[in-house]
Amino acid sequence: MSLLHVIIVDDQPIDGESMLDELRKVGHTVISHQVNTEAQFREALTSDVDLIFSDFQLAQFDGTRALKLLHELGLDIPFIVVTNIENHEAAVKFLKQGADDYVLKVHLSRLGLAVERALGDKNLREEKRNAELSVRESEQRYRQMVELSPDLILIQVDDEIVFINSRGAQLLGAASPQDIEGNHIMNIIHPDYRGLANRRIQLLEQGLRVPFTEDRFLRLDGKPVELEVIAVPSVYQGRHAVQVFGRDISERKRAQLALEQSDEKFGVIFRESLDAIIIVDAETELIFSVNPSTNRVLKYDAQDILGQHFSLLFPQENKFEERELIQRLRAYGAVLESQLFLRGDGVVIPMDLTATLIPWDHGKAIVVTLRDTSERVQIEEERLQKEELRRALQKEKEIGELRNRFMSIVSHEFRTPLAVILTSSELLERYGDRLTPERKATGHQTIKKQVEHLSQMMDDVSVIIRAESGRLQFNPQPIDLKQVCQELLQEMHTTVGMAHHLIFESEGEFDQVPVDYLLLNHILKNLLTNAIKYSSQGGEIRLKLSRRGTHTILVQVSDDGIGIPADDQPHLFEPYFRASNVGDINGTGLGLRIVWDAVELHGGTIQVQSELGKGTTFTIYLPILRFDS
């Protein structure tokens, strides 16, 4: 496989050699240093070390100190505790402090697998660090491009301006972006244009695209400024936002006015404009005039483009766009949009297009202005890539947190039934010949009950995994819902004490109801089990079936138990979450998440009402599906 540089912190050479043998068995070539003091460990600890094995405790040194030194030096080297001491609390402590694994010397066959997992985890950490560095670099590039942009760029969240670049602040007459940020978006929109701006915001919030528009903004001194604006849906710090790009078109507006008033003024603007300006005969759609910038923007010489059909500028696969553009222009007189255009050198680039139908001699002409937007498109693509990477990193963080919570809860919850099983089995083994048949039966029943409890916890974990991965099946079949509830309550009667009273109420007919029996069983068992468990003082446990109209079934489970704190209720259906008042009552925090997933697969909803010390009611609304659905 690979060459590994290993430090072994152990005062038994034979144990160190055994560890190296395990690495060789899985194909590794090993360079090793065995140490047993802190000084030796510090000397051996170099940046090319791939792996550290450490015993729990030595005469002059110990694994805890070795792990602490590793962290103090800021080195990311996999650290595996290899010891003869079988101490669960010590193992958990080491893992919490950053050790990668805890392997007993009597089980050294696990070492190869532990090493592969530890090296794999290190690779994942390195990939994460590289990804985070890439995100920071991308953010820096994006911010530089935004700040150097000649156009206004702003971001609004819930109608508040949360960001504006320096050019935007300058266009609006502000000394710095901070003078604009924090303002309501309508404060910078001219009153005559606020209705249009509100409609565009509503469309964007619905996920719809809006075309380029010409808007009139207000400077801080109250003077208007004309901008060509495009707004797109965006995300800012995890919140839905709108990103606005605005280009000062005051000069272009003046140019258009001059075009209408004077051929001489038009000639100046036509020649000096930095944008490509093309004049097309509205009848024949042939190009009969271009300005000098056309060569720079479109890479066409005048003699190569004059007399050609306007569709020459459109890529072959987008020729239909030219026909639609002409139709809209004839219908509305002016068009503002973005299109892909074909340059003379064969390169396809995005451009902003402004086309206006105007009188010309004894007919009509189309004045087309084109501006290369490649840089702006690149800025937006980089922003989207950065946001996608940020979401991926956030998802990875959430998965890691869930995994840690799962390991903590499951290790705790599995320990109790295993201890009971061990105690009962030892009692039967040592004193079986002196126990009465009743005491033996009780012991066997205790073991069986704890095994069933462990099996149920494993089933819960399996359901959660299948639900989270989208593999939880939904197979509705017509069943007698009332009979299923009665049979389940009868089964649970045998597991509760005299202090609890299980009550079933039913209003209406429930035969041939199409539901998934297995998922329904998860729903009812988890809710009823919780109702009993959190009503330790006894009381009534109520299960009620009823109908809401002809299309909905209501399932309600209520108790008189300890209740749920109000602050905890919004988190009840999160995996592994447990309320803050459960105390020593056992549980994994999986049951209500399973209920949520099962109800969701039925297309239903679930509500909870609870008051501390007075009890809890869960209400489920299940739609009555057609069997063929």
Side-chain angles (χ1 to χ4, degrees), residues 340-560:
L340 292 176
F341 285 86
L342 179 64
R343 293 192 322 200
D345 58 2
V347 176
V348 176
I349 60 172
M351 290 192 176
D352 286 346
L353 171 145
T354 303
T356 307
L357 192 62
I358 64 171
W360 191 276
D361 292 339
H362 300 293
K364 290 188 175 181
I366 303 170
V367 178
V368 179
T369 303
L370 298 175
R371 176 173 289 182
D372 187 347
T373 60
S374 302
E375 180 180 347
R376 191 180 71 209
V377 171
Q378 181 183 355
I379 290 174
E380 179 61 15
E381 287 177 351
E382 288 201 5
R383 187 196 66 78
L384 292 175
Q385 291 172 359
K386 177 199 69 174
E387 182 59 29
E388 182 178 352
L389 185 57
R390 188 196 64 77
R391 285 197 298 267
L393 290 172
Q394 180 63 27
K395 183 65 175 177
E396 180 183 341
K397 179 182 178 182
E398 292 172 357
I399 290 174
E401 291 173 351
L402 280 177
R403 180 182 62 191
N404 292 338
R405 290 170 61 188
F406 168 77
M407 292 301 297
S408 175
I409 292 173
V410 168
S411 63
H412 177 269
E413 291 301 321
F414 273 50
R415 191 183 309 121
T416 299
L418 287 173
V420 174
I421 291 171
L422 179 62
T423 300
S424 298
S425 61
E426 288 179 348
L427 182 65
L428 290 170
E429 182 180 358
R430 295 180 183 178
Y431 307 107
D433 56 341
R434 286 178 275 172
L435 295 176
T436 65
E438 291 78 7
R439 289 289 302 276
K440 290 181 181 179
T442 299
H444 287 300
Q445 187 63 29
T446 298
I447 293 173
K448 179 181 178 182
K449 184 176 180 181
Q450 294 302 321
V451 170
E452 290 173 349
H453 178 47
L454 286 171
S455 177
Q456 182 61 50
M457 283 196 291
M458 293 304 298
D459 287 345
D460 287 347
V461 172
S462 175
V463 171
I464 287 292
I465 292 173
R466 282 184 284 136
E468 293 297 323
S469 62
R471 294 185 289 108
L472 188 58
Q473 298 295 315
F474 177 58
N475 300 306
Q477 296 291 333
I479 65 171
D480 187 333
L481 186 56
K482 180 177 179 180
Q483 180 180 344
V484 169
C485 291
Q486 290 172 329
E487 290 174 353
L488 178 60
L489 282 178
Q490 185 62 36
E491 175 187 334
M492 299 194 75
H493 262 296
T494 63
T495 64
V496 299
M498 298 296 293
H500 291 94
H501 302 284
L502 305 185
I503 300 173
F504 177 61
E505 300 178 26
S506 173
E507 299 175 1
E509 297 297 325
F510 298 94
D511 56 341
Q512 299 300 302
V513 177
V515 296
D516 186 306
Y517 173 78
L518 293 178
L519 294 180
L520 178 68
N521 199 47
H522 281 303
I523 293 171
L524 295 177
K525 271 193 173 181
N526 276 296
L527 291 180
L528 289 169
T529 300
N530 280 355
I532 294 169
K533 181 164 54 174
Y534 297 113
S535 303
S536 58
Q537 302 301 317
E540 294 182 350
I541 308 297
R542 297 171 290 279
L543 171 61
K544 180 179 179 181
L545 284 182
S546 60
R547 285 181 176 268
R548 289 293 175 92
T550 58
H551 302 292
T552 305
I553 289 177
L554 184 147
V555 181
Q556 202 168 58
V557 176
S558 57
D559 61 65
D560 302 322

Side-chain angles (χ1 to χ4, degrees), residues 218-256:
L218 285 177
R219 292 166 48 90
L220 293 184
D221 58 10
K223 295 179 180 179
V225 56
E226 303 288 339
L227 296 178
E228 182 181 82
V229 173
I230 180 69
V232 296
S234 181
V235 176
Y236 182 81
Q237 296 182 352
R239 300 166 64 191
H240 292 294
V242 174
Q243 189 160 12
V244 180
F245 298 86
R247 173 163 289 173
D248 184 5
I249 58 170
S250 303
E251 180 181 347
R252 191 174 75 195
K253 296 287 282 186
R254 289 192 294 270
Q256 291 172 344

Side-chain angles (χ1 to χ4, degrees), residues 135-190:
V135 167
R136 289 194 295 271
E137 291 176 346
S138 176
E139 288 176 340
Q140 181 65 22
R141 288 196 301 271
Y142 175 71
R143 184 166 292 276
Q144 288 176 348
M145 295 180 72
V146 167
E147 286 302 319
L148 294 174
S149 171
D151 300 325
L152 172 147
I153 300 177
L154 69 80
I155 298 175
Q156 68 168 57
V157 176
D158 295 335
D159 294 335
E160 178 186 356
I161 301 170
V162 295
F163 170 81
I164 187 169
N165 66 344
S166 298
R167 174 56 177 163
Q170 181 186 5
L171 282 174
L172 297 179
S176 70
Q178 288 73 27
D179 295 333
I180 303 295
E181 291 167 356
N183 276 282
H184 194 283
I185 185 66
M186 292 303 161
N187 289 347
I188 63 170
I189 305 294
H190 192 279

Side-chain angles (χ1 to χ4, degrees), residues 67-197:
L67 183 57
K68 184 177 180 181
L69 282 173
L70 188 66
H71 293 327
E72 289 175 353
L73 295 172
L75 297 176
D76 185 6
I77 301 173
F79 188 99
I80 298 176
V81 179
V82 185
T83 182
N84 279 321
I85 301 175
E86 184 173 0
N87 187 319
H88 178 77
E89 292 182 356
V92 171
K93 179 181 177 181
F94 268 107
L95 294 176
K96 287 183 176 180
Q97 290 175 346
D100 290 84
D101 213 328
Y102 189 99
V103 178
L104 295 176
K105 291 182 179 179
V106 295
H107 298 307
L108 273 184
S109 58
R110 282 191 58 244
L111 191 59
L113 180 60
V115 166
E116 298 308 313
R117 184 166 56 244
L119 293 174
D121 288 345
K122 179 185 178 182
N123 289 337
L124 289 176
R125 291 194 296 272
E126 289 179 349
E127 291 174 3
K128 181 179 178 182
R129 285 194 292 269
N130 291 336
E132 290 172 342
L133 177 61
S134 177
V135 167
R136 289 194 295 271
E137 291 176 346
S138 176
E139 288 176 340
Q140 181 65 22
R141 288 196 301 271
Y142 175 71
R143 184 166 292 276
Q144 288 176 348
M145 295 180 72
V146 167
E147 286 302 319
L148 294 174
S149 171
D151 300 325
L152 172 147
I153 300 177
L154 69 80
I155 298 175
Q156 68 168 57
V157 176
D158 295 335
D159 294 335
E160 178 186 356
I161 301 170
V162 295
F163 170 81
I164 187 169
N165 66 344
S166 298
R167 174 56 177 163
Q170 181 186 5
L171 282 174
L172 297 179
S176 70
Q178 288 73 27
D179 295 333
I180 303 295
E181 291 167 356
N183 276 282
H184 194 283
I185 185 66
M186 292 303 161
N187 289 347
I188 63 170
I189 305 294
H190 192 279
D192 294 344
Y193 286 76
R194 288 174 183 169
L196 177 62

Side-chain angles (χ1 to χ4, degrees), residues 183-222:
N183 276 282
H184 194 283
I185 185 66
M186 292 303 161
N187 289 347
I188 63 170
I189 305 294
H190 192 279
D192 294 344
Y193 286 76
R194 288 174 183 169
L196 177 62
N198 266 323
R199 288 193 293 274
R200 285 205 310 274
I201 291 173
Q202 291 170 4
L203 291 173
L204 289 167
E205 288 175 347
Q206 297 171 18
L208 302 175
R209 296 186 64 85
V210 295
F212 277 97
T213 58
E214 293 185 1
D215 281 356
R216 184 170 298 155
F217 280 48
L218 285 177
R219 292 166 48 90
L220 293 184
D221 58 10

Side-chain angles (χ1 to χ4, degrees), residues 547-605:
R547 285 181 176 268
R548 289 293 175 92
T550 58
H551 302 292
T552 305
I553 289 177
L554 184 147
V555 181
Q556 202 168 58
V557 176
S558 57
D559 61 65
D560 302 322
I562 64 175
I564 304 167
D567 291 343
D568 291 342
Q569 293 179 25
H571 307 286
L572 282 181
F573 301 103
E574 296 175 5
Y576 315 115
F577 179 82
R578 303 197 71 208
S580 57
N581 64 329
V582 298
D584 295 330
I585 301 174
N586 290 333
T588 62
L590 297 177
L592 287 180
R593 180 62 192 193
I594 292 173
V595 171
W596 175 277
D597 290 330
V599 170
E600 190 175 55
L601 282 174
H602 280 87
T605 59

